[in-house]
Amino acid sequence: CAMGKKAADPQRAEVKRLQVLLTEACKQKAVDRVLEVFKEWESAQVILAPNCFAQALSVLAACDTGAENGDAARTERFGHAKRIFARALADVRDWRGVGESIYTLMVRLASRAGDPLAAMQYLEQMRQPPVSIRPKLRTFIPILEACASRGLSDEAEALYRDEIFSTCRPAEDTAIWTTDDEDRLWQCVFALRLRALSRALAAGDDRREGGGEPRRVEDGLRRLEAILDDVRAVCPQLRADSGLPEALQEAFGMREWRVEQAQIGEDARCPRTSTVLQPMHCSDEDVRGLLSLVERLAIEDASPKALDNWKDFKAWLARTDHEWDTVIDGANVGHHNQNFAQGAFSHAQIEEVIEQCNQAGRRRVALVLRERWLQPELDFSVPSSKRKKRRLPQLGRPDSEATGDVAMLDSCPAATAAASSAVARSAASGAGPPAAGATAAAADGRPQAATAQDQPRRSAAESTEAVPEEELSEAQRQVAILDKDWRQRGILVVSPPSIDDDWVAMYIAVAMCLRGVSDVQLVTNDEFRDHFWRMRQPTAFRTWRERHLTRYHVLSERPEPCDGEEDEFRPQQIQSAQLFPPPLYSCCVQRSLDGSCWHFPVRSREVAAPGEEAMRVASSNPPKCSDWLVAWDPRRATQGGA
């Protein structure tokens, strides 16, 4: 044992020495020094840590860029990389944590050396044991770069069709990207596909059987249309830093099209082509799917009390025949601009927004509020720091077409069994919540309003004894007056106590779309980022948001502090309120009906100006674009819609 320990000590010392030398060489990005250390490493017959291989390869890859590195230099560095990689195959026993890095670097080095076949072989090895790693989108980029630089459009399309989209696309109908980096990488993929096609057409590369100049051009145009359709489906907006705008200009230039920047006004008409851009709407199937997702937010992993509340709410909604065209997120409006010392939930702001809706011709309004905000004796002051909510997990992937909704409704109380079964039948048939006008009609034949009597009962926890009016302050009496007025006007929808009122507002708005109500708008400044994430980023939600969310801004004067009256809040003096409905057109890639022009929104990186923060679109919905890239065929007149 003593002899073995003495023999091991020099070996450990040699390993440590080589690791220190390699680390210093890598820090300096000294390729020659790295190769010298690797030769010593080979001669010493010692085994270094697996991350040492990734370190050495990363230096070779980092120095393999720039005009000064010609094809011969890249080929030479790839040869050195293959020696290092062969040693890694012999020495590494556990590939966890280093396998992806090592193979990704080999793919990059092989691609830049002009050997895409070797790069594809590394990709295949990466999928096999002992590594068994699924390549990520960034791993394919170097191969596409090699195809683009050499005009290998056939190879680029085969790689996209057989490898990239099948490997990196999501398994469900969600947005292709979930992070800003993925968005940039996907746009880089399309830019490289376009550049490979442009290089192939420019070089007159025709390797298809029976080819010829007309056939080559015709095939190239078909391929360009296919790539453009992919861009439209996957990347609704362009990033200025992705290289995609420049690649599009080059590709359209090969067709002798004109390409210019333009700004689209509020009338949705393009000043370059006179094309009127169109709004994009969800299909009925997408809306039904979105309604199901909102319900799953409410019922998945919910408590028995929350399930009972949701059953009662759905049964009530099924019994009503209301066709609201406007749903107001009351909590969001009441808390608007209250992040200051004397901030308090503002019922006056809600009333002002309701008035603005009426002035805009929206008189079928539903105001969603919790009962807690309707009890004037409670404290409405807003904490100076917002309490952080517990982040709920993402919705589980459904194992079958059967939803928890049907099973949940089977246990409804007998009093609501008929309405609940109607909801279940309606959901199964895809018709949305039924408008049961017969059961909701009053004695005089008119539909009942959405009053407290028409809704699920208030829970015991929320039921409090009414404070005599003479004991209320002036501000509290105003709250009571507004509460009574909203109930009498039939616009108040009290959210169930155990259910997030966001879900109630969204569910009603989406359900109204399924009932055929025209131009339903959900009035809120909520970005719904948490709900979007929990739904697993569905594209339908993104599209629905853009067409059915109205932003608002309330301008008011902050009240002066009350000396010695900490418990007394003073209402703000409302000066004005403004609504910001969706634009007439959707800010996404659009193709004209006759195919003679394309419009590409280019995402602006400018910071929103003061006062425009309420209109800023959240990360769950792409930012509004002011700049558009317009490509059109000057030989064809373009008129009408996109």
Side-chain angles (χ1 to χ4, degrees):
C1 292
M3 292 283 294
K5 187 175 181 181
K6 288 181 180 179
D9 286 339
Q11 190 175 32
R12 279 198 292 266
E14 180 66 7
V15 167
K16 185 175 181 180
R17 184 184 71 85
L18 290 172
Q19 286 180 335
V20 170
L21 292 176
L22 182 63
T23 300
E24 289 299 321
C26 290
K27 286 181 179 179
Q28 299 171 10
K29 295 183 179 180
V31 176
D32 293 339
R33 181 56 181 152
V34 168
L35 296 176
E36 289 176 5
V37 174
F38 179 69
K39 286 182 181 179
E40 289 188 56
W41 180 357
E42 287 183 305
S43 302
Q45 294 295 316
V46 295
I47 297 178
L48 269 64
N51 67 299
C52 292
F53 296 102
Q55 277 184 298
L57 291 173
S58 65
V59 173
L60 292 175
C63 295
D64 195 23
T65 58
E68 69 279 1
N69 291 286
D71 292 341
R74 294 189 179 97
T75 302
E76 181 183 358
R77 290 203 173 96
F78 180 44
H80 295 312
K82 287 192 285 188
R83 284 177 47 220
I84 298 174
F85 179 72
R87 183 64 186 267
L89 291 177
D91 288 359
V92 176
R93 296 292 177 264
D94 186 358
W95 289 84
R96 289 177 298 181
V98 296
E100 183 190 358
S101 299
I102 290 176
Y103 274 93
T104 299
L105 289 166
M106 291 305 297
V107 168
R108 186 182 306 169
L109 286 159
S111 300
R112 290 176 179 170
D115 196 347
L117 181 60
M120 293 299 298
Q121 290 174 347
Y122 288 125
L123 275 177
E124 186 58 30
Q125 293 175 26
M126 186 178 182
R127 295 187 177 100
Q128 305 301 324
V131 182
S132 302
I133 294 177
R134 179 183 178 183
K136 295 183 179 180
L137 185 58
R138 63 171 178 263
T139 308
F140 295 96
I141 298 296
I143 307 178
L144 278 177
E145 289 175 341
C147 293
S149 64
R150 290 166 174 79
L152 304 178
S153 180
D154 289 347
E155 289 78 356
E157 294 306 301
L159 179 66
Y160 179 80
R161 179 182 63 251
D162 301 333
E163 297 286 345
I164 297 177
F165 198 69
S166 61
T167 301
C168 301
R169 69 173 295 183
E172 53 192 304
D173 184 23
T174 63
I176 290 295
W177 65 89
T178 56
T179 66
D180 189 64
D181 188 51
E182 283 182 271
D183 182 18
R184 181 185 58 79
L185 288 174
W186 274 106
Q187 298 206 25
C188 182
V189 166
F190 294 120
L192 293 170
R193 289 175 65 194
L194 287 169
R195 287 203 171 98
L197 177 59
S198 298
R199 301 289 193 281
L201 292 175
D205 181 17
D206 182 16
R207 290 172 290 169
R208 303 173 181 84
E209 292 186 8
E213 184 65 21
R215 174 70 180 275
R216 179 179 64 82
V217 174
E218 181 181 342
D219 289 349
L221 293 181
R222 279 201 297 267
R223 179 166 293 176
L224 175 59
E225 289 293 327
I227 298 175
L228 293 175
D229 286 338
D230 289 341
V231 172
R232 179 168 57 171
V234 179
C235 304
Q237 296 181 359
L238 308 189
R239 296 172 55 110
D241 60 350
S242 66
L244 186 51
E246 293 79 8
L248 285 167
Q249 290 181 351
E250 183 180 0
F252 280 114
M254 300 296 298
R255 298 183 64 176
E256 298 182 352
W257 280 31
R258 292 186 62 181
V259 182
E260 294 183 10
Q261 297 280 343
Q263 292 191 344
I264 309 298
E266 294 182 358
D267 61 355
R269 186 173 295 276
C270 173
R272 299 287 184 268
T273 65
S274 298
T275 303
V276 178
L277 300 187
Q278 300 298 307
M280 302 299 164
H281 297 281
C282 294
S283 65
D284 288 346
E285 181 181 358
D286 287 338
V287 177
R288 284 192 290 270
L290 183 57
L291 190 72
S292 175
L293 282 174
V294 175
E295 177 161 22
R296 288 180 60 200
L297 291 175
I299 67 175
E300 200 160 294
D301 299 324
S303 66
K305 180 181 178 182
L307 289 176
D308 287 340
N309 284 167
W310 188 257
K311 294 174 195 175
D312 293 342
F313 162 68
K314 282 194 65 177
W316 165 79
L317 186 61
R319 290 195 302 271
T320 67
D321 62 352
H322 291 290
E323 294 188 347
W324 294 296
D325 62 7
T326 306
V327 181
I328 298 177
D329 182 356
N332 184 265
V333 178
H335 284 96
H336 178 63
N337 280 346
Q338 299 301 312
N339 56 340
F340 58 96
Q342 285 78 36
F345 189 89
S346 175
H347 298 75
Q349 288 188 163
I350 299 176
E351 177 64 17
E352 186 66 25
V353 169
I354 294 173
E355 180 61 26
Q356 285 298 314
C357 291
N358 292 335
Q359 291 182 14
R362 295 186 165 275
R363 302 185 182 279
R364 294 178 293 169
V365 175
L367 169 62
V368 177
L369 266 180
R370 287 184 181 276
E371 189 73 38
R372 181 255 185 277
W373 303 115
L374 300 170
Q375 301 176 38
E377 66 276 8
L378 298 183
D379 179 16
F380 293 143
S381 61
V382 176
S384 56
S385 59
K386 189 175 181 180
R387 184 170 59 112
K388 189 174 182 179
K389 290 184 178 180
R390 178 176 64 91
R391 190 176 193 184
L392 298 175
Q394 286 185 306
L395 297 178
R397 292 183 174 88
D399 296 328
S400 65
E401 292 184 2
T403 64
D405 172 31
V406 177
M408 179 193 73
L409 290 173
D410 287 342
S411 60
C412 276
T416 60
S420 299
S421 61
V423 173
R425 290 195 303 272
S426 170
S429 65
T439 58
D444 58 0
R446 293 179 300 175
Q448 293 181 355
T451 59
Q453 291 80 11
D454 191 32
Q455 295 194 69
R457 295 179 181 178
R458 183 190 303 181
S459 68
E462 289 192 327
S463 297
T464 59
E465 300 222 356
V467 176
E469 184 176 349
E470 58 272 12
E471 296 182 15
L472 297 177
S473 67
E474 178 60 28
Q476 292 172 331
R477 280 196 290 272
Q478 290 299 319
V479 173
I481 291 172
L482 287 175
D483 175 24
K484 182 178 179 180
D485 179 61
W486 293 337
R487 294 180 190 272
Q488 289 178 345
R489 291 158 61 186
I491 66 174
L492 182 62
V493 177
V494 180
S495 176
S498 299
I499 302 296
D500 191 325
D501 50 356
D502 285 350
W503 304 336
V504 174
M506 283 194 293
Y507 191 88
I508 293 176
V510 177
M512 292 302 105
C513 293
L514 282 178
R515 288 189 182 183
V517 180
S518 176
D519 192 23
V520 177
Q521 291 296 311
L522 175 56
V523 181
T524 182
N525 285 340
D526 195 337
E527 298 178 340
F528 293 134
R529 283 178 291 188
D530 51 345
H531 306 313
F532 181 68
W533 177 82
R534 289 195 65 213
M535 292 180 188
R536 297 182 180 274
Q537 300 90 22
T539 53
F541 181 77
R542 188 187 295 270
T543 303
W544 186 89
R545 263 187 58 129
E546 188 182 39
R547 302 315 315 156
H548 296 280
L549 252 65
T550 290
R551 305 291 185 180
Y552 66 89
H553 182 69
V554 179
L555 183 64
S556 59
E557 291 184 357
R558 293 183 177 181
E560 294 295 330
C562 302
D563 297 333
E565 298 181 357
E566 296 182 359
D567 295 334
E568 173 75 14
F569 75 90
R570 300 176 63 186
Q572 291 176 287
Q573 297 299 316
I574 308 298
Q575 294 182 343
S576 65
Q578 189 174 2
L579 301 179
F580 302 99
L584 297 177
Y585 59 93
S586 294
C587 191
C588 62
V589 177
Q590 299 195 28
R591 176 182 181 270
S592 65
L593 294 176
D594 60 0
S596 63
C597 68
W598 285 79
H599 293 78
F600 303 90
V602 181
R603 190 176 308 172
S604 174
R605 289 294 178 182
E606 295 179 2
V607 180
E612 295 180 355
E613 190 65 20
M615 297 177 285
R616 183 178 58 84
V617 183
S619 60
S620 58
N621 206 24
K624 185 177 179 180
C625 300
S626 58
D627 295 326
W628 290 70
L629 186 70
V630 184
W632 74 97
D633 186 353
R635 296 160 295 189
R636 298 167 63 184
T638 303
Q639 297 293 337

